[in-house]
Amino acid sequence: MSAWQEQVPNYEFSETMALYQEGEQQFLNAYHGHYRIKYVTLPGIQRLLQLRFQLEEGKDYQLLETGIQHLTCDEETVTRLQQMLSTNWSLTKQEDGNYSVFVK
């Protein structure tokens, strides 16, 4: 944590440290991107696409009221996203080679 505190001096790391102490392996798995979100909403997926994969609405995908279509990304991103999505979402490959994410 000390290395992170040097890089981001204004961030409060007490909650991050508490999570690490509660479950070291779970924390490390999450840190390295090996986690599944228990329940995620459409705005949560948008945020995930932006923060984790640097994918933007209008550029990398089209946002609809009920999901996402025309998601353009590589296979590694699709695999990681599929592992992270909660079970109420379905990620499918479209005929044009892009992907869509909709509620099951």
Side-chain angles (χ1 to χ4, degrees):
M1 292 291 167
S2 60
W4 286 354
Q5 287 174 329
E6 289 176 18
Q7 292 182 2
V8 190
N10 296 329
Y11 183 79
E12 178 57 52
F13 284 93
S14 59
E15 287 186 35
T16 306
M17 190 61 168
L19 288 172
Y20 176 79
Q21 290 171 340
E22 284 178 23
E24 180 180 338
Q25 191 58 50
Q26 285 181 316
F27 179 87
L28 293 173
N29 286 343
Y31 176 76
H32 292 289
H34 306 291
Y35 57 90
R36 177 177 294 270
I37 301 168
K38 289 184 181 181
Y39 181 81
V40 67
T41 62
L42 185 54
I45 293 173
Q46 281 185 270
R47 191 83 168 132
L48 177 65
L49 291 172
Q50 179 189 24
L51 293 175
R52 186 74 170 117
F53 303 109
Q54 293 75 48
L55 298 173
E56 300 176 22
E57 177 189 355
K59 178 182 171 191
D60 301 301
Y61 64 89
Q62 180 184 5
L63 180 66
L64 303 176
E65 283 188 32
T66 57
I68 290 172
Q69 69 179 7
H70 305 297
L71 175 61
T72 306
C73 56
D74 58 35
E75 291 295 323
E76 180 181 347
T77 300
V78 168
T79 300
R80 294 188 82 169
L81 180 59
Q82 182 67 54
Q83 292 170 348
M84 298 166 92
L85 287 176
S86 55
T87 58
N88 60 316
W89 291 96
S90 174
L91 187 141
T92 56
K93 191 168 190 172
Q94 298 173 212
E95 289 183 22
D96 64 4
N98 293 323
Y99 296 86
S100 62
V101 183
F102 287 97
V103 173
K104 288 183 178 179

